[in-house]
Amino acid sequence: KFYYKLFCQVLFLFLLFFSLGFDLIFCITLLLIFFVNINVSNFMDGVNGMSFLYFLVSFVSFIFIDFKINVILLDNVYFFYIILLSCLLSFGFLNFRKKAICFLGDVGSISLGLIFSGCVVYYFLLLKAQVLINYPYLVILFFFIYYLDVFYTLLNRFSSNQNIFKPHKKHLYQILANNYFKSHITSSFLYSFFQLIMNVMVLVILFSKNFFLSKLMLVVLCFYICLIIFIYFYVQKKIVKENS
């Protein structure tokens, strides 16, 4: 039952952070970040190739941050990414196809969400320690399109008095894949592509030494976020209602 899973998630995450010596306020903050991300990751694993492409984009973005900060990957992070990307690419070979022969399941999607959350916190703290880096909190945008789809779908189902904990196929990416494109690969590619553009903008803002370029790109990023939101709701109105 869903409340058993949610209780276990909260309990074990809290015990993990508390055992690491963090104070209560920081434990709660970390708990919220990890809890949201692992469940968002779980919700969005519904079509072939989605988790593979999306997390590939995210982890490659983190590798770029690590490379820019450390100049060259010399520590254990290097081996961490070798293992992570090897597993992800192996999974992608079996999943990113019309008829997938391998799936993540709850354990796989939650594990990827857990690793992503750890990277977000790690690189946020790392970037915050860099004097010349502006807006380190922008790394949270590496999950933006996932957040948009999940939170809108949950809000929409909740307002319609539907049980938000029951399995469904009401996410936009599911409707596009099953009803509109008739292709899981196309839906997965679009989500990952739009997220990749956002990640590139974030990286330019973080590491550009040109003050004007950094500020200009920040404005462009805000416009791009508004554009993504507009496209999302436009598609919801024009396509989802016709094909659901």
Side-chain angles (χ1 to χ4, degrees):
K1 296 182 181 297
F2 71 88
Y3 44 82
Y4 290 152
K5 292 191 288 186
L6 296 182
F7 173 76
C8 289
Q9 286 179 16
V10 172
L11 175 63
F12 291 125
L13 285 173
F14 180 79
L15 290 176
L16 170 64
F17 302 138
F18 191 74
S19 67
L20 292 174
F22 298 125
D23 60 69
L24 183 60
I25 300 299
F26 196 53
C27 279
I28 295 175
T29 304
L30 289 176
L31 176 63
L32 179 63
I33 294 172
F34 276 71
F35 179 78
V36 169
N37 284 341
I38 63 178
N39 284 286
V40 165
S41 175
N42 194 20
F43 290 153
M44 294 297 289
D45 180 42
V47 299
N48 300 344
M50 177 65 76
S51 294
F52 162 65
L53 279 182
Y54 201 90
F55 279 103
L56 182 63
V57 168
S58 297
F59 290 131
V60 168
S61 301
F62 286 131
I63 291 175
F64 183 84
I65 293 177
D66 198 271
F67 181 80
K68 291 293 291 185
I69 292 178
N70 298 316
V71 181
I72 188 170
L73 300 171
L74 293 175
D75 53 15
N76 292 332
V77 175
Y78 175 73
F79 300 103
F80 165 76
Y81 281 119
I82 287 181
I83 296 171
L84 179 62
L85 292 180
S86 297
C87 295
L88 196 58
L89 290 172
S90 300
F91 166 71
F93 176 75
L94 301 172
N95 180 259
F96 188 62
R97 55 179 70 195
K98 186 176 182 180
K99 293 184 178 180
I101 55 178
C102 181
F103 304 93
L104 281 178
D106 287 345
V107 174
S109 58
I110 288 175
S111 297
L112 282 175
L114 188 70
I115 296 171
F116 175 85
S117 301
C119 288
V120 167
V121 174
Y122 173 74
Y123 286 107
F124 169 75
L125 296 175
L126 208 60
L127 290 170
K128 192 175 181 182
Q130 304 290 319
V131 179
L132 300 178
I133 300 295
N134 294 318
Y135 318 111
Y137 54 84
L138 288 180
V139 293
I140 200 68
L141 290 179
F142 286 176
F143 235 34
F144 177 78
I145 296 179
Y146 264 22
Y147 289 145
L148 178 61
D149 200 351
V150 168
F151 291 133
Y152 172 78
T153 304
L154 288 177
L155 182 61
N156 189 41
R157 298 190 73 226
F158 181 79
S159 63
S160 302
N161 295 320
Q162 300 178 35
N163 189 338
I164 62 175
F165 297 105
K166 285 187 175 182
H168 63 89
K169 294 185 178 181
K170 299 295 185 181
H171 288 287
L172 177 61
Y173 77 91
Q174 292 172 316
I175 296 174
L176 291 176
N178 298 322
N179 299 61
Y180 187 71
F181 293 126
K182 306 294 183 180
S183 168
H184 288 201
I185 301 302
T186 304
S187 182
S188 300
F189 177 79
L190 281 177
Y191 269 64
S192 304
F193 178 73
F194 285 126
Q195 185 62 61
L196 175 62
I197 294 175
M198 182 171 294
N199 288 10
V200 171
M201 291 183 184
V202 170
L203 293 172
V204 171
I205 294 170
L206 289 175
F207 296 107
S208 176
K209 296 181 180 180
N210 186 312
F211 177 81
F212 176 76
L213 177 60
S214 180
K215 296 298 182 182
L216 177 62
M217 190 57 66
L218 183 62
V219 174
V220 175
L221 176 62
C222 293
F223 175 78
Y224 182 72
I225 291 174
C226 294
L227 179 63
I228 290 294
I229 295 174
F230 172 78
I231 292 174
Y232 181 85
F233 286 107
Y234 178 83
V235 172
Q236 285 281 355
K237 182 178 180 180
K238 294 294 184 180
I239 296 178
V240 173
K241 289 184 178 180
E242 296 174 3
N243 292 273
S244 59

